[in-house]
Amino acid sequence: MGDRKASPEETHSTASASHESTSHESASHEFAPSGDFGAPPFVDLRTYHEPGYDAGGSRLAMLIWWLVQAVCFPLSSHFGHGFRCWLLKRFGADIGTGVRIRPTARFTYPWNVEIGDYSWVGDDVVFYSLAPIRVGQHWVISQESYLCTGSHDISDSRFALITGEIVIENGVWVAADCFVAASVRIGANAVIAARSTVMSSMPPEQVCLGTPCKPIKPRPMKGYTTANIPAV
C-alpha cells in the first residue's frame, strides 16, 4: 500500500503550527537568552568599572592582609583583643586605647579604619572599608552588623562603583545584625536597634529603628551629666 498524501488543508495546518512554534521559540530566545529569566539585563558586567577609585593600598598589601586576617584573627584567643588591634595597626588602622575586637570580625582594608578609645567590635561584624570608616570613643557594634562603604550606580550599564565614608560618633550602640550604608553619619549617643537598615544619617541621642531606619524617641540616660563623661 502506498503512503497517503497530505491534503492541502493538512499541509497548511502543519505549516502554520510549525511557524507559530518557531515564532514562539524566537520570541522566547530574544527576551530570555539564558532560559526563562525575563528581559535582557540592563547592565553588562564585562564593562564594569571603578571610576577614580583608589583603595589606598597596594595589591600586595591587600593580599598579605587577607592572608593574615584569614589565619591570625580566627585562631587568636577570644580575649586577644590587644593582639588583633596590634595586627590592624601594622596594616595602617588607627586604633585607640582599650579597644575590644572579637576574632571573627572582618576588615576589608584596615588602612581605611579609625576606631576611638574603649570601643567594642562584636563577632562577625564586617567593616567593608572601601572608603574610610571612622568611629568615635565608647562605641559598640554588636554581632553580625555590616558597615558598607560601597555601592553601585544602578543607572549605569557599566555598574560603576560608588563609595562613601561612614562616620559613627561617640557613645553610639549599633545593635545586632544592622546594615549601615555608605555616606551615613550616626550622631553621638544614638542607638540603632537590632536588624535596622540605616540608609541615611541619624541624629544624636535618639533611639532609631526599622527598615529604613528612623529615629523614634530620645535615648534616656540615667544620671547623665557632661561632668562625668571623659573628654574626647
Side-chain angles (χ1 to χ4, degrees):
M1 295 177 62
D3 294 335
R4 185 179 69 87
K5 293 184 178 180
S7 67
E9 291 80 5
E10 290 175 323
T11 303
H12 177 73
S13 175
T14 303
S16 297
S18 175
H19 175 72
E20 290 174 2
S21 176
T22 303
S23 298
H24 178 72
E25 290 174 0
S26 176
S28 298
H29 179 75
E30 178 183 352
F31 290 104
S34 298
D36 189 17
F37 296 111
F42 284 170
V43 300
D44 184 348
L45 296 180
R46 295 171 298 181
T47 64
Y48 170 72
H49 68 142
E50 301 174 350
Y53 178 66
D54 181 4
S58 68
R59 289 186 179 274
L60 179 60
M62 294 176 192
L63 291 172
I64 294 173
W65 164 247
W66 291 336
L67 176 62
V68 167
Q69 180 170 233
V71 176
C72 298
F73 257 61
L75 294 181
S76 59
S77 164
H78 189 69
F79 299 102
H81 307 295
F83 172 68
R84 291 185 287 273
C85 289
W86 178 83
L87 283 176
L88 287 164
K89 289 177 181 179
R90 299 288 73 76
F91 284 85
D94 185 356
I95 308 294
T97 300
V99 173
R100 297 184 178 186
I101 299 173
R102 294 301 189 191
T104 55
R106 290 291 176 266
F107 300 82
T108 303
Y109 300 141
W111 46 85
N112 287 334
V113 172
E114 176 184 346
I115 301 176
D117 296 344
Y118 304 105
S119 292
W120 299 352
V121 179
D123 282 306
D124 298 309
V125 168
V126 176
F127 280 63
Y128 190 51
S129 50
L130 302 184
I133 297 176
R134 301 189 298 114
V135 301
Q137 299 183 355
H138 300 272
W139 168 86
V140 177
I141 182 167
S142 294
Q143 61 271 21
E144 297 186 352
S145 288
Y146 198 106
L147 306 181
C148 183
T149 60
S151 187
H152 299 276
D153 183 352
I154 62 172
S155 66
D156 183 356
S157 65
R158 300 173 67 187
F159 207 50
L161 177 68
I162 300 171
T163 61
E165 178 183 70
I166 292 174
V167 178
I168 301 178
E169 297 180 0
N170 299 316
V172 170
W173 178 24
V174 178
D177 201 16
C178 290
F179 177 87
V180 180
S183 303
V184 161
R185 187 181 191 102
I186 300 177
N189 300 308
V191 173
I192 308 300
R195 295 197 167 182
S196 294
T197 302
V198 188
M199 302 301 292
S200 60
S201 295
M202 294 291 112
E205 300 179 13
Q206 295 288 307
V207 176
C208 311
L209 62 82
T211 299
C213 190
K214 296 179 180 179
I216 60 166
K217 64 179 182 180
R219 177 182 181 178
M221 182 55 60
K222 299 175 182 178
Y224 173 83
T225 65
T226 55
N228 59 19
I229 299 299
V232 295

